């Protein structure tokens, strides 16, 4: 076997050369075949397509020649018809009816000589005065086509002419077949009218006629009817495909012939018949012959090209490649890296030989460097701060080296021959070093960490294999990582502490690149931006995805770049869901060793809730200030109205209704009453009106108003009431609740001029501490909610901020006072409730009112009796009023009813007046709010002297002010300004007739 090896090596270049030649020959042959096939395919497509186009063009010309031949036949008929139609004898025949004319002019011989199958004469009244048929084949007279006669006797294009120059020529479809027909108007010989009728002549387009036309055109012509059951399938299919849009079809029926069809129209332009021609495919056959000749020439050219190419490649490429192979094989056999390959020339093979020589030189250099490297490696291994060792299959140390032995107090190969078990003093197979060595003997690699002799080592073991890849031992390396482990542990503790501070911080903290990408975020920032996880947030960009305004981001970054840090910057951020939040930012720019900005550290505080609370507080303070102003104005206006209404009432009581001034004064009184209603609305807004609170069922209040509300909103708005189940009770004024609901419903109606849906809902609601945090003025607890929603035009934020202000309205001038929602706001607040509005432009509006839940049972409302007429009396009344005009009015009225009146402007004056008066005083009428001393303080002072003194308080202020001055809680009688003199008289009598304070106080509170 050994003697054959050189021979086998010498055969390899020969085999290589033959294989390379075969591959080259095969590649050239495949390329030539594909090229010939491609060229021939393109030639087939181009040449045959061109010849087919020529063939179709020739068929189209033949069709046109056939049609021209038919037109020529029509022209011949036209010349015959012209001779008879413009002839005095024909004209006279139609006019006078000379029977000898037709016999002499249209005998059989004449029709045969004129090649006519039928002739007819029609007068101007469409009467068929003459008709004759003739069979040109049998030379006998035949009947005139009945369907043609019927057509001539009716007004048609061939029987009736309105113009002397008119004519009708062409095809006509009859029951017996298709015919060529010519019809011309009958005129005198000088072509004058009037038109006497029409002269009609024709010839059948039968097989004989088509054969005659075909002989003239040298074409194989056929005339195919449009409707014939006997046509061949191909002809029938072609006839059905023809139309006025596609009047021509040309198609080959075989390799020898091609057929063309042409749709012919009749005189009226309707399809009449199809002319068919069939011609031999001479042009196509010529194309196939040309293509065959081209193919033979192409094959010859390809064969010559292949032979020449193979010859050139053999001489210039393959022989030189073989020589190169021999030289390379020679170098390989000698194994001498200093040898070189010799190849002459200045081509790629010469370049390849040069590259091989460069590779040999590089290998020679590498061999020398490897020897040097091996020597250096031994030195490095011996001095490397690690321990390297090998063991045999019995786990006995064979070698041990490395500078790491010093930390173990060993020398190189000191432990050689010692068993691994004896060295570690254990045979436990789970002990990390022993387990790793056992796995290495099984062919597995292991990395592990172990501690030995107070040092920590990171170790790795591998199976040690011989030349046959059999495991003969273990090779291992261990790095002393004691110092690094201690440093990493300290660093880990530091990072854990730092990370804990960042993660547990209540503020959002992040680190981002100059481009805006997050690199570090804490949990607070993830929650702040409503992201699902830190990885979700790390995928965002602080500039484009977090800042709502890119300009704010640019300004913040510019400040960080210019000043190095920033504090107290407020801006808008957007959460992942799109919601905007207000944040307060601080941050700093961190620079690297080159003083370039490496990243930004940013701290963010969400101040949205704080700003919302501040906004609510400012709004509440504004509404409170407006309420105080409105209440003060209403109080002063009430005093003025009191005087106006009182004097008007006194005048009207003494004036007969027939007096001319009575209607005018009555209008003044009505205007004053309307002004009183206006002040009540202002007092309602300012929470200064007198309420009659009672425990109510809110569902009952709404249900009782549904019918009235339906009439108010109209039929174009759908009213939906959704009462809450087991609804809690509220304590409020029933009339004011009805006024609230009415005002909200009217506003909703005005917001839906084109119709919509209005929904009223009631529900038990628990407002917890979290809700109170978002609405600073809300007290947590149980409430009953009344909601009114519409699908109208909605409101923008600017409008919502002012809707509860008095006299603010969005309605047209004259269509609203601007007090509706202000009244609602005041009544709700006076009832210890809250009102919120939710609206967006185009999305409708919802008002939600929260009234405190009441624990008492529902009270039954009491009916009020009509105010009786003024009653006269003789009691002494002390009147204390700081408004002079009101005091004078009341005093004059009381005197007219028989009472004795003592007047005082304030409390101290009243006390002095009582001290000077010796007679009994039965009643004190006092304003509640007065300078120096309130009405309640005055009554308490006077009761020390007169314990039985009764009191009636009057005031333009109400609830809040009166409570502050100790009136309402004292169970006393009260009358709110402005009041009528009739109401004052009735209240005085009620108080005077009561046995004690508690008796009239309960009545007073029910009627106030």
């Amino acid at each position: 076997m050994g003697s054959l090896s050189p021979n086998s090596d010498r055969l390899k270049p020969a085999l290589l050369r033959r294989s390379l030649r075969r591959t080259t020959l095969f590649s050239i042959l495949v390329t030539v075949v594909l090229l010939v096939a491609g060229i021939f395919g393109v030639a087939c497509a181009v040449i045959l397509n061109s010849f087919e186009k020529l063939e179709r063009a020739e068929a189209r010309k033949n069709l046109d020649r056939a049609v021209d031949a038919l037109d020529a036949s029509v022209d011949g008929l036209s010349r015959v018809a012209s001779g008879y139609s413009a002839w005095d004898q024909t004209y006279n025949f139609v006019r006078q009816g000379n029977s000898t004319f037709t016999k002499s002019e249209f005998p059989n011989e004449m029709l045969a000589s004129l090649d006519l199958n039928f002739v007819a004469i029609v007068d101007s009244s469409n009467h068929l005065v003459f008709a004759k048929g003739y069979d040109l084949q049998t030379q006998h007279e035949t009947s005139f086509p009945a369907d043609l006669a019927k057509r001539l006797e009716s007004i048609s294009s061939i029987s009736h002419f309105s113009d002397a120059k008119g004519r009708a020529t062409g095809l006509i479809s009859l029951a017996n077949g298709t015919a060529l027909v010519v019809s011309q108007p009958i005129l005198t010989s000088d072509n004058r009218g009037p038109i006497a009728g029409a002269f009609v002549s024709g010839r059948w387009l039968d097989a004989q006629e088509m054969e005659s036309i075909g002989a003239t055109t040298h074409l194989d012509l056929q005339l195919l009817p449009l409707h014939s059951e006997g046509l061949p399938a191909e002809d029938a299919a072609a006839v059905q495909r023809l139309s006025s849009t596609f009047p021509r079809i040309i198609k080959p029926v075989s390799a020898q012939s091609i057929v063309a069809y042409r749709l012919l129209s009749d005189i009226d332009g309707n399809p009449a018949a199809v002319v068919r021609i069939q011609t031999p495919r001479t042009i196509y056959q010529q194309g196939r012959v040309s293509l065959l000749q081209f193919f033979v020439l192409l094959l010859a050219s390809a064969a010559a090209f292949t032979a020449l190419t193979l010859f050139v490649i053999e001489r210039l490429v393959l022989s030189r490649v073989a020589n190169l192979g021999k030289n390379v094989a020679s170098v390989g056999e000698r194994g001498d890296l200093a040898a070189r390959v010799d190849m002459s020339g200045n081509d790629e093979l010469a370049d390849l030989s040069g590259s091989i020589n460069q590779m040999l030189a590089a290998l020679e250099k590498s061999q020398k460097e490897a020897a040097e490297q091996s020597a250096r490696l031994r030195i490095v291994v011996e001095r490397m701060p690690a321990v390297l060792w090998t063991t045999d299959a019995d786990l006995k140390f064979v070698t041990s080296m490395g500078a790491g032995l010093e930390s173990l107090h060993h020398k190189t190969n000191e432990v050689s021959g010692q068993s691994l078990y004896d060295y570690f003093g254990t045979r436990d197979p789970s002990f990390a070093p022993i387990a790793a060595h056992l796995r290495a003997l099984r062919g597995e690699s292991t990395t592990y960490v172990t501690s030995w002799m107070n040092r920590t080592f990171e170790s790795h073991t591998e199976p040690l294999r011989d030349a046959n890849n059999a495991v003969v031992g273990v090779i291992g390396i261990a790095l002393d990582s004691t110092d690094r482990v201690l440093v990493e542990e300290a660093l880990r503790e530091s990072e854990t502490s730092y990370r804990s501070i960042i993660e547990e911080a209540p503020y959002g903290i992040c680190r981002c690149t100059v481009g805006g990408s997050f690199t570090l975020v804490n949990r607070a920032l993830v929650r702040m931006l409503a992201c699902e996880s830190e990885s979700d947030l790390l995928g965002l960009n602080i500039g484009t995805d977090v800042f709502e305004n890119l300009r704010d981001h640019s300004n913040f970054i510019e400040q960080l770049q210019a000043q190095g840090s920033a504090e107290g910057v407020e801006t808008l951020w957007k959460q992942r869901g799109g919601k905007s939040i207000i944040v307060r930012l601080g941050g700093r720019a961190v620079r690297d060793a080159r003083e370039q900005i490496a990243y930004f550290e940013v701290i963010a505080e969400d101040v949205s809730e704080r700003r919302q609370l501040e906004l609510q507080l400012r709004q509440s303070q504004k509404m409170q200030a407006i309420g105080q102003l409105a209440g003060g104005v209403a109080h002063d206006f009430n005093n003025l109205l009191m005087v106006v209404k009182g004097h008007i009432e006194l005048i009207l009581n003494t004036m007969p209704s027939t007096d001319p001034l009575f209607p005018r004064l009555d209008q003044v009184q009505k205007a004053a009453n309307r002004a009183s209603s206006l002040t009540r609305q202002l007092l309602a807004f300012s929470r200064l009106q007198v309420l009659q609170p009672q425990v109510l069922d809110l569902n009952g209040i709404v249900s009782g108003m549904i019918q009235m509300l339906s009439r108010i909103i109209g039929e174009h708005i759908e009213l939906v009431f959704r009462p809450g189940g087991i609804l809690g009770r509220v304590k409020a004024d029933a009339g004011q609740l009805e006024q609230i609901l009415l005002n909200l419903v009217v506003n909703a109606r005005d917001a839906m001029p084109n119709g919509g849906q209005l929904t009223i809902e009631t529900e038990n609601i628990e407002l917890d501490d979290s809700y109170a945090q978002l609405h600073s003025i809300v007290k947590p607890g149980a409430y009953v909610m009344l909601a009114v929603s519409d699908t109208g035009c909605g409101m923008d934020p600017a409008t919502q901020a002012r809707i509860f202000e008095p006299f603010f309205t969005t309605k047209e001038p004259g269509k609203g006072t601007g007090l509706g929602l202000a009244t609602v706001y005041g009544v709700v607040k006076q009832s210890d409730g809250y009102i919120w509005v939710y609206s967006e432009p185009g999305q409708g509006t919802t008002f939600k009112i929260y009234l405190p839940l009441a624990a008492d049972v529902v009270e039954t409302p009491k009916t009020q009796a009509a105010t009786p007429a003024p009653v006269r009396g003789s009691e002494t009344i002390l009147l204390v009023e700081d408004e002079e005009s009101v005091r004078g009015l009341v005093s004059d009225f009381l005197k007219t009813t028989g009472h004795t009146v003592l007047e005082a402007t304030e409390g101290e004056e009243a006390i002095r007046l009582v001290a000077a008066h010796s007679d009994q005083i039965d009643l004190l009428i006092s304003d509640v709010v007065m300078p120096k001393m309130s009405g309640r303080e005055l009554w308490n002072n006077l009761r020390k002297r007169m314990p039985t003194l009764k009191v009636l308080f009057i005031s333009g202020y109400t609830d809040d002010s009166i409570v502050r001055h100790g009136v309402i809680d004292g169970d006393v009688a009260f009358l709110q300004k402005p009041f009528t003199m009739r109401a004052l008289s009735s209240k005085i009598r009620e108080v005077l007739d009561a046995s004690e304070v508690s008796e009239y106080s309960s009545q007073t509170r029910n009627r106030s």
Side-chain angles (χ1 to χ4, degrees):
M1 294 297 289
S3 61
L4 292 177
S5 297
N7 295 334
S8 299
D9 293 338
R10 285 193 295 271
L11 287 174
K12 289 180 181 178
L15 292 174
L16 178 63
R17 287 195 296 275
R18 287 199 295 271
S19 176
L20 183 59
R21 288 191 177 91
R22 284 197 300 270
T23 302
T24 304
L25 177 60
F26 178 75
S27 300
I28 292 175
L29 288 177
V30 170
T31 304
V32 171
V33 169
L34 293 177
L35 183 61
V36 170
I39 294 174
F40 183 70
V42 173
C44 287
V46 174
I47 295 175
L48 288 182
N49 186 50
S50 300
F51 277 96
E52 286 180 357
K53 288 182 178 180
L54 292 174
E55 184 179 53
R56 289 179 177 274
E58 183 65 22
R60 195 175 294 109
K61 290 181 181 179
N62 289 336
L63 279 177
D64 295 339
R65 286 171 55 206
V67 174
D68 292 341
L70 289 175
D71 292 339
S73 297
V74 172
D75 292 340
L77 287 176
S78 296
R79 288 192 294 271
V80 174
S82 298
Y84 285 100
S85 62
W87 191 21
D88 290 340
Q89 292 188 24
T90 306
Y91 192 83
N92 294 331
F93 167 73
V94 176
R95 290 285 189 176
Q96 300 172 6
N98 182 8
S99 60
T100 59
F101 171 76
T102 57
K103 293 179 180 180
S104 61
E105 295 299 330
F106 301 108
N108 292 341
E109 295 77 7
M110 181 61 70
L111 294 179
S113 64
L114 295 177
D115 201 15
L116 296 176
N117 285 109
F118 52 82
V119 65
I121 298 176
V122 184
D123 62 13
S124 58
S125 299
N126 290 103
H127 293 147
L128 188 60
V129 298
F130 172 72
K132 183 176 181 178
Y134 184 73
D135 189 344
L136 294 174
Q137 294 181 3
T138 62
Q139 301 293 316
H140 291 96
E141 183 177 347
T142 60
S143 60
F144 190 81
D147 47 351
L148 179 58
K150 184 177 180 181
R151 186 169 179 178
L152 292 173
E153 291 178 341
S154 62
I155 298 176
S156 66
S157 60
I158 62 174
S159 64
H160 186 80
F161 295 97
S162 58
D163 186 3
K165 295 182 180 180
R167 61 182 295 184
T169 62
L171 299 181
I172 185 168
S173 296
L174 300 174
N176 293 335
T178 305
L180 292 174
V181 176
V182 174
S183 177
Q184 295 183 353
I186 298 176
L187 303 169
T188 60
S189 296
D190 53 0
N191 291 322
R192 294 183 180 178
I195 297 172
F199 180 83
V200 181
S201 60
R203 181 185 307 130
W204 293 109
L205 276 178
D206 51 15
Q208 180 181 357
E209 180 65 19
M210 294 305 294
E211 183 178 356
S212 174
I213 297 174
T216 303
T217 58
H218 303 287
L219 296 172
D220 181 11
L221 294 179
Q222 283 184 277
L223 189 68
L224 304 180
L226 291 178
H227 307 287
S228 176
E229 302 297 335
L231 291 176
E234 290 186 359
D235 293 343
V239 169
Q240 290 183 355
R241 289 174 55 195
L242 291 171
S243 64
S244 58
T245 306
F246 301 100
R248 184 186 292 107
I249 294 177
I250 300 172
K251 64 178 183 177
V253 294
S254 66
Q256 286 73 33
S257 61
I258 185 169
V259 177
Y261 301 89
R262 170 69 182 269
L263 180 65
L264 302 176
S265 301
D266 61 9
I267 291 177
D268 297 324
N270 298 318
V274 176
V275 62
R276 176 185 185 274
I277 64 171
Q278 183 168 349
T279 58
R281 301 188 70 181
T282 306
I283 298 176
Y284 179 74
Q285 294 299 333
Q286 291 175 354
R288 296 186 65 180
V289 172
S290 300
L291 186 61
L292 182 59
Q293 293 172 350
F294 174 76
F295 181 66
V296 172
L297 179 61
L298 183 61
L299 285 179
S301 301
F305 173 78
T306 302
L308 180 61
T309 302
L310 288 174
F311 175 77
V312 172
I313 290 177
E314 174 65 27
R315 291 296 301 273
L316 299 181
V317 178
L318 295 179
S319 61
R320 300 184 70 218
V321 170
N323 293 330
L324 179 61
K326 289 179 180 180
N327 293 334
V328 173
S330 176
V331 173
E333 289 176 356
R334 295 196 304 271
D336 183 10
L337 295 179
R340 296 293 180 263
V341 176
D342 184 19
M343 175 62 65
S344 61
N346 189 25
D347 53 9
E348 286 80 359
L349 289 176
D351 294 340
L352 177 59
S353 67
S355 298
I356 293 174
N357 290 332
Q358 291 177 0
M359 181 182 65
L360 292 172
L363 289 174
E364 182 183 10
K365 181 180 179 181
S366 298
Q367 190 178 44
K368 293 179 181 179
E369 291 178 350
E372 296 173 357
Q373 183 69 20
S374 177
R376 288 194 298 268
L377 180 60
R378 175 173 293 277
I379 297 174
V380 169
V381 167
E382 291 177 351
R383 298 181 181 181
M384 183 173 60
V387 179
L388 291 93
W389 72 92
T390 61
T391 71
D392 58 16
D394 297 326
L395 296 184
K396 291 183 178 181
F397 288 105
V398 176
T399 61
S400 60
M401 62 186 69
L405 290 172
E406 294 180 4
S407 63
L408 298 176
H409 309 292
H410 293 316
K411 298 179 180 180
T412 302
N413 296 327
E414 180 181 347
V415 295
S416 297
Q418 186 178 1
S419 170
L420 186 71
Y421 304 109
D422 296 337
Y423 180 78
F424 286 108
T426 180
R427 288 184 173 272
D428 183 4
S430 62
F431 184 56
I434 295 177
H437 282 73
L438 292 176
R439 281 195 292 270
L441 291 177
R442 295 194 297 268
E444 301 177 12
S445 301
T446 304
T447 299
Y448 61 95
V449 177
T450 186
S451 296
W452 183 248
M453 299 179 68
N454 298 324
R455 307 296 293 180
T456 300
F457 293 92
E458 294 180 357
S459 307
H460 181 79
T461 57
E462 289 275 354
L464 183 61
R465 301 178 185 272
D466 60 10
N468 296 322
N469 204 32
V471 177
V472 296
V474 178
I475 182 171
I477 182 172
L479 295 176
D480 188 349
S481 59
T482 305
D483 296 337
R484 181 172 59 81
V485 169
L486 294 176
V487 172
E488 288 178 352
E489 184 65 27
L491 179 61
R492 192 159 43 249
E493 292 179 0
S494 175
E495 288 181 349
T496 301
S497 175
Y498 172 76
R499 188 71 180 178
S500 176
I501 294 174
I502 295 297
E503 288 298 330
E504 300 303 325
Y507 303 112
I509 301 175
C510 68
R511 179 181 294 166
C512 58
T513 65
V514 178
S517 299
F518 287 108
T519 58
L520 183 145
V521 295
N522 68 342
R523 286 194 293 267
L525 187 64
V526 173
R527 292 192 299 269
M528 184 184 300
L529 294 177
C531 291
E532 297 181 357
S533 63
E534 290 186 9
S535 59
D536 189 22
L537 180 54
L538 288 173
L540 303 181
N541 184 285
I542 191 173
T544 58
D545 299 323
V546 176
F547 272 84
E548 188 164 288
N549 190 326
L550 290 178
R551 186 58 188 169
D552 290 349
H553 173 255
S554 300
N555 293 339
F556 182 62
I557 295 300
E558 289 173 2
Q559 185 175 353
L560 291 178
Q561 292 173 337
Q563 302 177 10
S565 63
E567 292 182 2
V569 178
E570 287 197 8
T571 184
L572 288 178
W573 276 9
K574 52 187 176 183
Q575 294 181 334
R576 192 64 186 272
K579 179 182 176 182
S580 297
I581 59 173
I582 304 173
V583 294
R584 188 169 181 267
L585 303 179
R588 71 188 186 98
V590 179
R591 299 180 181 271
D592 57 18
R594 297 175 299 172
E595 289 301 316
Q596 299 295 320
I597 295 178
Y599 54 85
F600 297 112
E601 291 181 346
V602 180
I603 300 178
E605 178 187 6
D606 186 354
V607 296
S608 303
E609 181 178 331
R610 185 188 307 169
R611 296 296 176 262
Q612 180 66 23
L613 294 178
E614 291 174 356
L615 179 62
Q616 293 178 7
L617 179 60
R618 287 195 297 271
Q619 182 69 12
S620 176
Q621 291 172 342
K622 183 182 76 171
M623 297 303 294
Q624 183 178 0
I626 295 176
Q628 292 175 351
L629 176 62
V633 172
H635 171 264
D636 295 341
F637 196 48
N638 269 340
N639 284 331
L640 298 176
L641 285 175
M642 177 72 199
V643 176
V644 174
K645 291 180 63 177
H647 284 294
I648 291 297
E649 183 180 3
L650 293 177
I651 294 173
L652 290 178
N653 288 340
T654 59
M655 179 182 291
S657 58
T658 57
D659 192 294
L661 293 178
F662 189 90
R664 297 184 179 181
L665 292 175
D666 185 56
Q667 290 298 322
V668 173
Q669 186 179 41
K670 291 179 179 179
N673 289 336
R674 288 195 295 271
S676 298
S677 176
L678 183 63
T679 59
R680 280 195 298 273
Q681 293 186 52
L682 285 174
L683 289 172
F685 167 73
S686 59
R687 290 169 277 171
L688 296 177
Q689 65 172 342
V690 176
L691 299 183
Q692 301 177 23
Q694 55 184 325
V695 179
L696 301 172
D697 178 8
L698 199 55
N699 280 344
I701 297 293
V702 178
S703 300
M705 297 182 66
I706 288 297
Q707 187 174 2
M708 178 189 70
L709 296 177
S710 298
R711 291 195 298 268
I712 290 175
I713 64 177
E715 296 180 354
H716 67 296
I717 297 177
E718 178 186 4
L719 177 60
V720 178
F721 175 40
R722 296 174 181 165
I726 316 178
L727 195 67
R729 309 308 183 195
V730 297
K731 190 168 186 179
D733 188 305
Q736 292 300 330
L737 281 183
E738 292 176 352
Q739 186 65 38
I740 288 174
L741 189 57
L742 182 62
N743 288 353
L744 294 179
V745 168
V746 169
N747 279 353
R749 178 201 64 188
D750 295 341
M752 297 183 289
N754 299 321
Q757 185 182 76
L758 191 151
T759 304
I760 303 175
E761 301 178 75
T762 58
E763 185 180 0
N764 293 325
I765 295 292
E766 182 74 24
L767 301 182
D768 54 15
D769 293 334
S770 61
Y771 186 88
Q773 289 178 359
L774 298 176
H775 304 80
S776 60
I777 61 176
V778 174
K779 296 179 180 179
Y783 291 83
V784 178
M785 182 195 72
L786 171 65
V788 178
S789 305
D790 64 68
T791 59
C793 57
M795 294 180 286
D796 55 27
T799 303
Q800 295 179 48
R802 299 190 60 194
I803 55 173
F804 295 122
E805 296 180 7
F807 306 110
F808 175 76
T809 180
T810 59
K811 299 178 183 178
E812 299 178 3
K815 292 189 176 182
T817 63
L819 289 173
L821 290 177
T823 302
V824 171
Y825 179 85
V827 172
V828 171
K829 289 298 182 181
Q830 195 171 356
S831 302
D832 295 328
Y834 308 99
I835 181 170
W836 307 105
V837 59
Y838 307 90
S839 181
E840 291 184 14
Q843 302 297 321
T845 301
T846 296
F847 285 91
K848 289 187 177 180
I849 297 173
Y850 299 95
L851 298 175
L853 186 68
D856 300 335
V857 297
V858 178
E859 301 176 12
T860 303
K862 299 179 181 179
T863 58
Q864 294 185 1
T867 304
V871 180
R872 296 185 62 80
S874 58
E875 293 86 354
T876 300
I877 298 175
L878 173 60
L879 175 62
V880 184
E881 168 63 56
D882 58 343
E883 185 66 33
E884 181 179 357
S885 58
V886 176
R887 186 177 67 251
L889 170 66
V890 174
S891 176
D892 293 344
F893 171 73
L894 292 178
K895 290 176 182 178
T896 60
T897 58
H899 294 89
T900 301
V901 181
L902 302 177
E903 298 182 34
T905 59
E906 43 88 19
E908 293 180 355
E909 182 183 351
I911 293 173
R912 291 194 299 270
L913 188 61
V914 170
H917 187 74
S918 58
D919 296 334
Q920 178 181 351
I921 299 177
D922 301 294
L923 177 65
L924 168 66
I925 299 178
S926 173
D927 195 356
V928 176
V929 182
M930 295 183 297
K932 299 180 181 179
M933 184 182 296
S934 69
R936 183 62 181 250
E937 292 173 342
L938 172 63
W939 184 43
N940 290 337
N941 188 299
L942 294 180
R943 280 201 302 175
K944 295 176 181 178
R945 302 178 185 181
M946 298 177 288
T948 61
L949 177 65
K950 298 178 180 180
V951 66
L952 170 61
F953 287 113
I954 60 176
S955 178
Y957 292 112
T958 53
D959 270 7
D960 286 353
S961 297
I962 296 171
V963 168
R964 288 196 300 271
H965 287 84
V967 175
I968 296 298
D969 291 344
D971 288 335
V972 295
F974 173 75
L975 193 62
Q976 181 182 352
K977 301 176 184 177
F979 49 79
T980 63
M981 297 298 103
R982 183 185 294 263
L984 175 63
S985 175
S986 174
K987 183 65 70 172
I988 290 173
R989 183 50 47 200
E990 176 185 329
V991 174
L992 290 174
D993 292 345
S995 61
E996 56 186 9
V997 171
S998 60
E999 178 180 343
Y1000 67 75
S1001 65
S1002 61
Q1003 298 175 3
T1004 300
R1005 291 180 66 92
N1006 289 333
R1007 296 179 184 177
S1008 296

